[in-house]
Amino acid sequence: MGTFLISKRKNDEFQFVLKAGNGQVILASEGYTTKAACENGIESVKKNSQDDARFDKLESKNGKFYFNLKATNGQIIGNSEMYESIAARDNGIESVKKNAPDADVKEEL
């Protein structure tokens, strides 16, 4: 089962990552000014990760593949690491869809 981990950046912003059961980070958030906003972002990931239309499948300028997860308002709520292949990126999306809905939330503040 996956885990959302809330942490604090050096600039005092909060962020979260979604880790798969094997501990690998599969989604990272933007910075949030409050912990409550960060927790709302997690709830948004749980909800929006079940809708294929919310995933933007992208290719970077250096030829690597990644994805963004967007909320209903179009705002990016999480982005992936860079993948070497389309298949690996698509597996990353499936992992988010599988792990996010029931993931525990932990803090590392």
Side-chain angles (χ1 to χ4, degrees):
M1 185 162 74
T3 304
F4 284 100
L5 183 61
I6 298 173
S7 61
K8 215 169 187 185
R9 294 179 174 177
K10 289 180 180 163
N11 65 359
D12 280 340
E13 287 185 334
F14 294 88
Q15 74 172 39
F16 66 82
V17 294
L18 173 60
K19 292 185 174 188
N22 64 4
Q24 182 178 357
V25 174
I26 51 177
L27 192 73
S29 76
E30 63 181 359
Y32 294 93
T33 55
T34 66
K35 184 177 160 196
C38 187
E39 290 168 337
N40 287 341
I42 290 171
E43 289 306 312
S44 186
V45 169
K46 287 183 175 192
K47 182 176 69 174
N48 288 290
S49 64
Q50 300 310 294
D51 184 347
D52 288 336
R54 300 277 176 250
F55 289 93
D56 279 346
K57 299 177 179 183
L58 304 160
E59 183 176 352
S60 67
K61 290 179 183 170
N62 66 0
K64 297 196 185 261
F65 303 93
Y66 67 104
F67 63 86
N68 291 329
L69 176 61
K70 291 187 171 182
T72 51
N73 65 2
Q75 183 176 353
I76 295 171
I77 49 178
N79 50 52
S80 73
E81 65 180 355
M82 294 292 173
Y83 295 97
E84 295 295 328
S85 69
I86 290 172
R89 179 198 58 205
D90 291 349
N91 286 340
I93 290 170
E94 290 305 312
S95 185
V96 170
K97 290 167 66 175
K98 182 178 101 181
N99 285 282
D102 300 318
D104 290 333
V105 179
K106 296 184 179 177
E107 297 179 6
E108 197 173 77
L109 302 173

